[in-house]
């Protein structure tokens, strides 16, 4: 019997979508490397627009957690409000309307399940954010998930590391923003390559990943 062909995780503009999860004002001072994470997500958004990759944006309980931060550059995107612990239920209709969809590129917070202190956000009941659950729900639909590791974070770096390992164990691909951008553009002859080259000329800002990946980390092997 022939061995099953491995899933290679290729991404193509015509069959991909970018998810931007819950990068909101109230998290600005609580999430590790928040400015860097948003900067990288903004880079992914600009590339998606250049390559005509669709983009979906969610906000978790904006009445308590505030709007999407302006530096993401998400003007023109209509955020989908949610209280569910995954992005997928709020985006169900969008997903169902795209039969050609194969790959989801995922940016945002928090990488793991995180219970927020309701005392910090007046009027907000206990709320959880689950990009990890988003990944599991998307995989369950048969979609390939590419977690943009330099555009995802948590309050705790331990939680971030374990969440990345958990998503990888479940079948998600861990990728950097630049790696995914170059896969999407595909060829230096692409008509948008010069514009994209300007965006990636400077390396993505350090978001603490070297500390997570260095050494013989058993969670990522």
């Amino acid at each position: 019997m022939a061995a099953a062909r491995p899933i290679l995780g290729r991404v193509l503009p015509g069959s991909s979508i970018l998810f931007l999860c819950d990068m909101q004002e109230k998290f600005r001072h609580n999430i590790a490397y928040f400015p860097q994470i948003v900067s990288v997500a903004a880079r992914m958004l600009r590339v998606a627009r250049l390559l005509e990759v669709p983009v979906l944006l969610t906000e978790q309980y904006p009445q308590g957690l505030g709007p999407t931060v302006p530096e993401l550059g998400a003007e023109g995107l209509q955020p989908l409000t949610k209280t569910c612990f995954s992005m997928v239920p709020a985006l169900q209709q969008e997903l169902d309307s795209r039969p050609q969809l194969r790959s989801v590129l995922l940016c945002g917070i928090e990488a793991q399940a995180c219970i927020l202190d309701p005392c910090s956000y007046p009027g907000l009941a206990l709320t959880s954010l689950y990009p990890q659950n988003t990944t599991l729900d998307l995989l369950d639909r048969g979609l390939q998930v590419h977690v943009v590791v330099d555009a995802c974070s948590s309050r705790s770096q331990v939680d971030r590391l374990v969440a990345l390992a958990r998503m990888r164990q479940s079948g998600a691909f861990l990728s950097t923003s630049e790696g995914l951008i170059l896969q999407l553009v595909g060829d230096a002859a692409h008509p948008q390559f010069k514009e994209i080259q300007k965006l990636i000329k400077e390396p993505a800002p350090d978001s603490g990943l070297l500390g997570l990946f260095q050494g013989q980390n058993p969670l990522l092997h």
Side-chain angles (χ1 to χ4, degrees):
M1 183 181 293
R5 184 177 178 181
I7 297 174
L8 300 178
R10 296 189 189 280
V11 293
L12 300 169
S15 58
S16 298
I17 194 168
L18 176 64
F19 277 16
L20 301 172
C21 180
D22 306 349
M23 285 172 275
Q24 293 162 255
E25 284 289 349
K26 287 288 187 179
F27 300 121
R28 186 181 294 278
H29 303 296
N30 297 297
I31 299 297
Y33 300 100
F34 185 83
Q36 294 89 339
I37 294 300
V38 173
S39 173
V40 174
R43 178 186 294 195
M44 292 295 299
L45 174 55
R46 289 194 293 271
V47 169
R49 284 171 164 162
L50 285 169
L51 298 179
E52 299 182 348
V53 172
V55 183
L56 295 176
L57 171 72
T58 59
E59 291 178 347
Q60 179 82 8
Y61 190 72
Q63 304 96 308
L65 295 172
T68 298
V69 295
E71 57 266 38
L72 182 60
E75 298 82 5
L77 291 179
Q78 181 60 47
L80 292 163
T81 299
K82 65 183 181 66
T83 56
C84 186
F85 303 156
S86 165
M87 295 176 73
V88 171
L91 306 180
Q92 187 83 36
Q93 187 172 348
E94 288 281 353
L95 292 171
D96 290 343
S97 70
R98 302 177 188 275
Q100 81 286 3
L101 185 62
R102 296 291 179 269
S103 305
V104 178
L105 318 181
L106 181 59
C107 304
I109 56 175
E110 287 193 64
Q112 90 300 336
C114 172
I115 302 299
L116 298 172
D117 180 358
C119 296
S120 301
Y121 310 110
L124 175 62
L126 286 175
T127 304
S128 299
L129 305 178
Y130 283 79
Q132 181 170 282
N133 278 6
T134 299
T135 294
L136 298 178
D137 285 349
L138 291 168
L139 291 170
D140 203 36
R141 289 177 65 101
L143 294 168
Q144 295 180 24
V145 180
H146 297 262
V147 181
V148 188
V149 293
D150 47 344
C152 292
S153 191
S154 305
R155 293 180 301 166
S156 159
Q157 291 299 280
V158 172
D159 285 332
R160 183 185 185 191
L161 171 63
V162 174
L164 291 173
R166 173 70 172 88
M167 288 185 278
R168 183 170 180 254
Q169 288 169 342
S170 297
F173 295 96
L174 305 186
S175 304
T176 64
S177 57
E178 185 166 329
L180 286 170
I181 288 167
L182 291 174
Q183 279 195 68
L184 285 168
V185 72
D187 193 318
H190 192 288
Q192 295 292 355
F193 178 71
K194 288 189 181 298
E195 290 301 312
I196 289 172
Q197 189 177 35
K198 294 174 186 176
L199 295 176
I200 62 174
K201 184 177 180 181
E202 295 297 324
D206 174 36
S207 59
L209 286 171
L210 285 178
L212 298 181
F213 285 90
Q214 68 184 2
Q216 298 300 310
N217 193 315
L219 291 176
L220 293 170
H221 289 282

